[in-house]
Amino acid sequence: MGSLARYGLSAAAVSTLTVGMVLPAGTPVVAASSSAWSATVPALIHDSRLTDVAATGPNNAWSVGYQASTYTGYSIDQPYALLQWNGGAWIERRLPHQAHVLYKVDAVNAGDVWTVGIRRSGEPYAGHFDGVTWTSHTPWSAPSGTSDLLDVAGTGGGRAVLVGHDGGRPLVVEGDARQFSRVAVPGTEGVNGVLRAVSRTKDGAVFAAGDRYVTDAPYPEPMIVQRIGGSWRVAPIPPIASVHLTGVWARSATDAWAVGTQDFDSSPKPVILHWDGRTWQRVAGPAPAGWVYAVAGDANGNVWISGTNPIPPYVEYPGTLLLRYTGGRWSVAYGPKVDGNDPHLDALANIPGTSSFWGSGAATVDGFRQAGVIERTR
């Protein structure tokens, strides 16, 4: 990563935002606030990472990822991590079938939970939990190492939408525990790209975000595909060079957010996009520099975005970079440190029926080991 100029993360820094990032009129930014989050490190085998989290209520949530990672692979046969929150503690669960690493998880309710990942053979894997038993599925069959299912959104009744790539082409698969099929999204034919995240809404809309390469451009530009009213399409979005979109969350068919990072391999800048039911527009948050990864909101209009601080020299940050939008105002709300280091949160999820959130990711502990981390708003 290239060195970055020193950035202040406060209301005064808004004037230094990158050209082209427009803050909507009447959207003030406030200075950084103290952490509203607490962190825990579940008992997993180092090195570990929890790459996603999903909740159905205060007493039920799931988190997935991997453990026992080494420089040469994994030290155990099935290194996936699968944790369930029972209202008082995170309990490790094991699948009754073979799986290797789990990427993402989504829960419609306690009896309709999906996860995606990869088998040891390199083939895409999906698992479904009906409240009693986990079952194994192969929604997309492809030669080992040529395709990935990177995220899943349960749509109810045991159905789900899964996204990723197939041979470097954007991939959308939809179905249930009995049968899946590829969705033909007009405008993606021949596109070189990937869909990394997907979100569904209660009113039936689905949004998927990722990136694509255009002509001979050396870096990708953002891509969003969406299903509103039963039809899939590629959404028109502002052209932004050198962007990975890594997170998407939708409250309804007329209110969705997508996030990622511009210039991710040199001078990273947050990218925040908002859908108002008609157009996607880029908006500016309170941090002009840094990486961002995930976004989630609640029914009351609150939105959280997780990220990583920029790395200019001689700067000690208070904790993990978290951006918050509430009451029409953006703020920076740093998360807690773990063993003196800033965790990297790959995922965020609202706890339904509340304004509380879970986050999951990893932090460096004992000087060099990576440990899976789960955080929660206080």
Side-chain angles (χ1 to χ4, degrees), residues 2 21 40 51 62 74 87 89 112 125 127 159 166 180 183 197 205 227 229 234 242 253 276 285-286 295 320 327 334:
M21 298 175 67
T40 185
T51 52
W62 294 87
Y74 297 93
D112 192 359
Y125 161 85
R159 295 185 61 81
D166 177 39
F180 287 87
V183 176
R227 185 186 71 190
V234 177
S242 187
D276 63 4
V295 58
T320 300
Y334 293 107

Side-chain angles (χ1 to χ4, degrees), residues 39-41 320 335-343 362-365 371-375:
T40 185
V41 178
T320 300
K337 290 183 178 293
V338 171
D339 200 27
N341 296 305
D342 300 341
T364 301
V365 298
V373 171
I374 295 179
E375 297 191 13

Side-chain angles (χ1 to χ4, degrees), residues 157-293:
R159 295 185 61 81
V161 175
L162 305 92
V163 301
H165 77 90
D166 177 39
R169 309 297 188 189
L171 176 65
V172 179
V173 178
E174 187 171 12
D176 57 26
R178 297 180 299 275
Q179 183 177 1
F180 287 87
S181 59
R182 183 170 191 165
V183 176
V185 181
T188 61
E189 306 89 347
V191 171
N192 181 12
V194 59
L195 295 171
R196 305 176 189 277
V198 63
S199 178
R200 43 81 181 174
T201 68
K202 291 183 178 179
D203 54 8
V206 180
F207 298 83
D211 39 82
R212 63 183 175 184
Y213 285 84
V214 180
T215 60
D216 296 325
Y219 292 99
E221 66 178 34
M223 177 176 63
I224 296 174
V225 302
Q226 57 197 44
R227 185 186 71 190
I228 300 174
S231 299
W232 284 93
R233 68 168 182 146
V234 177
I237 57 177
I240 313 170
S242 187
V243 172
H244 280 323
L245 288 184
T246 51
V248 65
W249 176 81
R251 182 178 291 109
S252 70
T254 59
D255 186 8
W257 298 83
V259 301
T261 306
Q262 184 178 25
D263 298 332
F264 45 86
D265 61 350
S266 56
S267 302
K269 308 167 189 67
V271 173
I272 305 173
L273 301 174
H274 181 251
W275 167 259
D276 63 4
R278 295 174 298 174
T279 62
W280 283 95
Q281 295 292 331
R282 187 176 184 181
V283 299
W291 295 264
V292 294
Y293 308 112

Side-chain angles (χ1 to χ4, degrees), residues 350-377:
N350 173 238
I351 302 173
T354 77
S355 288
S356 296
F357 290 78
W358 290 108
S360 69
T364 301
V365 298
D366 301 330
F368 67 98
R369 294 184 178 275
Q370 178 177 272
V373 171
I374 295 179
E375 297 191 13
R376 185 175 182 175
T377 52

Side-chain angles (χ1 to χ4, degrees), residues 10 38-39 46 66 68 71 107 110 126 137 143 145 154 168 173 182 223 241 243 313 349 356:
S10 67
S38 60
H46 294 333
Y66 62 83
Y71 287 111
H137 304 276
V173 178
R182 183 170 191 165
M223 177 176 63
V243 172
S356 296

